[in-house]
Amino acid sequence: EVHLVESGGGSVQAGGSLRLSCVADTYTYSSYCMAWFRQAPGKEREGVISTGADHTYIRGSVKGRFSISRDNAKNTLYLQMNNLEPDDTAMYYCAARDSSLCDYSNEYPYWGQGTQVTVSS
């Protein structure tokens, strides 16, 4: 079992930035695929960005604005979001997968509780 705790959400105006954090409680964190998903009201959950040992997968609508990084020493995953748009408004979830196949189209079994991001125009 892997426990994930997100933080860093909030309300910003369009064009603003936020950085989300996700702390994992597993000592094997560095070998896991890690991903960020989001779910807007009335919409299905979608993968935003995911990363493994040597590749990052990113949704086209956030390319050039969002980036993912990880600090393995701190078991922490980050999502840097710049130039935010109202369509980025959603609950953002951190997820983990014990695999070398890290594309967010794969099943991720471990999830955090989510952190809300609201972008106003």
Side-chain angles (χ1 to χ4, degrees):
E1 186 74 20
V2 176
H3 293 96
L4 304 170
V5 179
E6 303 99 330
S7 62
S11 297
V12 296
Q13 290 191 326
S17 298
L18 283 174
R19 188 177 79 157
L20 307 184
S21 299
C22 170
V23 179
D25 71 345
T26 175
Y27 70 96
T28 59
Y29 163 81
S30 62
S31 66
Y32 276 58
C33 297
M34 299 297 297
W36 290 96
F37 291 77
R38 67 185 181 186
Q39 187 167 20
K43 295 186 177 181
E44 293 188 354
R45 187 176 62 199
E46 62 182 18
V48 177
I49 192 168
S50 60
T51 186
D54 57 4
H55 198 81
T56 296
Y57 304 84
I58 186 167
R59 172 170 294 277
S61 61
V62 305
K63 194 172 292 185
R65 301 187 297 119
F66 289 15
S67 62
I68 192 171
S69 62
R70 56 197 301 171
D71 185 337
N72 290 338
K74 296 182 178 179
N75 285 7
T76 302
L77 179 76
Y78 301 100
L79 178 65
Q80 179 66 44
M81 304 185 293
N82 299 324
N83 194 21
L84 282 159
E85 303 171 354
D87 283 348
D88 295 319
T89 295
M91 185 72 79
Y92 282 72
Y93 298 91
C94 171
R97 170 181 167 86
D98 185 10
S99 172
S100 60
L101 302 175
C102 297
D103 190 333
Y104 53 72
S105 64
N106 290 300
E107 180 179 352
Y108 274 70
Y110 305 112
W111 295 82
Q113 82 289 349
T115 186
Q116 178 68 38
V117 172
T118 302
V119 185
S120 58
S121 58

